[in-house]
Amino acid sequence: MSLNHSLVVLVLAQAVAYGTPILFAALGELLAERSGVLNLGVEGMMLVGAVMGFWAMQRASGPTAVVLVLAVASAAFAGLVLSAVHAFLVVTLRASQIVSGLALTIFAGGLGLSSYLGNDLGLADLPPKHQFSEIDVFGLKNVPVIGPILFHQSALIYASWALTAAVALYLNRTRLGLNVRAVGESPGAADAMGIDVARYRYAHVLAGGAFAGLGGACYSLAITPGWTAGDSVVGGAGWIAIALVIFSFWRAELCLVGAYLFGGLSGGLPSALQAHAYNVKPELLNALPYLTTIVVLVLIASGWGKRRLGAPAALGVAYVREER
């Protein structure tokens, strides 16, 4: 295999790995936004999920598979708890969804709750006892081109594919999924049909928080196992996930494609170039996913209207039953 050919394969394989936490977070944001709730607290939920997943992995005992399952469950639960605060503020108290989400990210991110938990629990610079490693599926990892990309990845990646299919089927092919889409499009009409708007919004915001926590765990348990204070663990992936939902026109299957595009820009391409000794400034590579996010948002905002994009009509709008 030529150098250029092997570089492409490595970039694609790393794009899948680095895109997986973005995919998890984007799927969660998709569920919340389909119910009409904008959650800008994804970054903070990912950070809390990362620290609690790593803490659970360090404290749990037993076979590696059991420990990792417990760690992932702890990360998802941590994200769910934080999202419950957002749901209470925006659904019950009808607070501004933008302000609530930003406040949660400030509260949980950077030197906030996630750093406090990590320092208080003594997680900084601890070597991981367990971590997700690549699986040689059916012994096909050495198959040219597709082997390293499809058949030599961690269990989290295969789980993300299953969840993407499940979310797509749920939103498009089930009664509950159609109900949540109705809530996001016209909560007043949905309420008149007997659909509990508040319950649907609560459920999907909580599910979105759990997905975000799971995305954070991908970093601390698989991509860069360990914990360090600050935003460096997640590195802005939550903001990329929010943009990705718009980029994918609120469709789960396109979230998969977009996540791998951003994953390739944020981690796959820099890692592959460094592995092949290409001399490229790291600052440029690190800026690529954020520049792409800005370009995508600007193009979408200037080229198409909100309705043509497929955004839920009631996205970001609090529902007051008495004003129906």
Side-chain angles (χ1 to χ4, degrees), residues 135-138 140-141 143 146-153 158:
I135 302 171
D136 185 3
V137 180
F138 306 123
L140 298 176
K141 72 173 184 178
V143 174
I146 64 171
I149 300 172
L150 299 180
F151 301 112
H152 194 223
Q153 301 285 2
Y158 300 119

Side-chain angles (χ1 to χ4, degrees), residues 217-242:
C218 290
Y219 287 103
S220 60
L221 299 176
I223 296 178
T224 54
W227 170 257
T228 55
D231 293 329
S232 59
V233 174
V234 173
W239 300 110
I240 295 175
I242 295 171

Side-chain angles (χ1 to χ4, degrees), residues 43-45 47-48 103-115 230-231:
E43 179 85 359
M45 295 171 192
L47 282 165
V48 172
L104 279 177
T105 291
I106 295 171
F107 169 71
L111 299 176
L113 178 63
S114 59
S115 291
D231 293 329

Side-chain angles (χ1 to χ4, degrees), residues 195-212:
I195 299 173
D196 192 327
V197 174
R199 180 176 297 178
Y200 269 85
R201 286 189 167 182
Y202 258 99
H204 289 81
V205 172
L206 293 178
F211 273 72

Side-chain angles (χ1 to χ4, degrees), residues 57-71:
M57 180 272 295
Q58 293 285 14
R59 297 297 185 268
S61 60
T64 298
V66 174
V67 170
L68 291 175
V69 168
L70 290 174

Side-chain angles (χ1 to χ4, degrees), residues 36-278:
V37 178
L38 177 65
N39 182 7
L40 297 183
V42 176
E43 179 85 359
M45 295 171 192
M46 292 184 75
L47 282 165
V48 172
V51 66
M52 295 311 296
F54 187 70
W55 171 80
M57 180 272 295
Q58 293 285 14
R59 297 297 185 268
S61 60
T64 298
V66 174
V67 170
L68 291 175
V69 168
L70 290 174
V72 166
S74 298
F77 182 72
L80 183 148
V81 169
L82 201 58
S83 68
V85 177
H86 181 61
F88 176 73
L89 291 173
V90 303
V91 178
T92 301
L93 301 183
R94 305 187 186 105
S96 168
Q97 297 179 11
I98 294 176
V99 172
S100 174
L102 290 175
L104 279 177
T105 291
I106 295 171
F107 169 71
L111 299 176
L113 178 63
S114 59
S115 291
Y116 170 77
L117 290 172
N119 293 330
D120 191 58
L121 296 172
L123 301 180
D125 302 321
L126 280 180
K129 294 182 179 178
H130 306 276
Q131 67 184 71
F132 283 94
S133 55
E134 292 79 9
I135 302 171
D136 185 3
V137 180
F138 306 123
L140 298 176
K141 72 173 184 178
N142 293 322
V143 174
V145 183
I146 64 171
I149 300 172
L150 299 180
F151 301 112
H152 194 223
Q153 301 285 2
S154 73
L156 287 171
I157 292 173
Y158 300 119
S160 72
W161 295 348
L163 286 173
T164 301
V167 169
L169 291 173
Y170 169 72
L171 290 175
N172 298 308
R173 294 290 185 267
T174 69
R175 179 64 178 272
L176 292 176
L178 294 177
N179 286 349
V180 73
R181 292 174 64 182
V183 168
E185 290 292 335
S186 179
D191 192 8
M193 294 170 58
I195 299 173
D196 192 327
V197 174
R199 180 176 297 178
Y200 269 85
R201 286 189 167 182
Y202 258 99
H204 289 81
V205 172
L206 293 178
F211 273 72
L214 182 54
C218 290
Y219 287 103
S220 60
L221 299 176
I223 296 178
T224 54
W227 170 257
T228 55
D231 293 329
S232 59
V233 174
V234 173
W239 300 110
I240 295 175
I242 295 171
L244 176 57
V245 175
I246 303 172
F247 176 76
S248 62
F249 305 103
W250 287 268
R251 294 171 57 185
E253 61 275 17
L254 293 182
C255 281
L256 179 71
V257 177
Y260 293 158
L261 170 62
F262 284 112
L265 292 174
S266 62
L269 184 59
S271 298
L273 290 175
Q274 291 172 6
H276 286 76
Y278 281 89

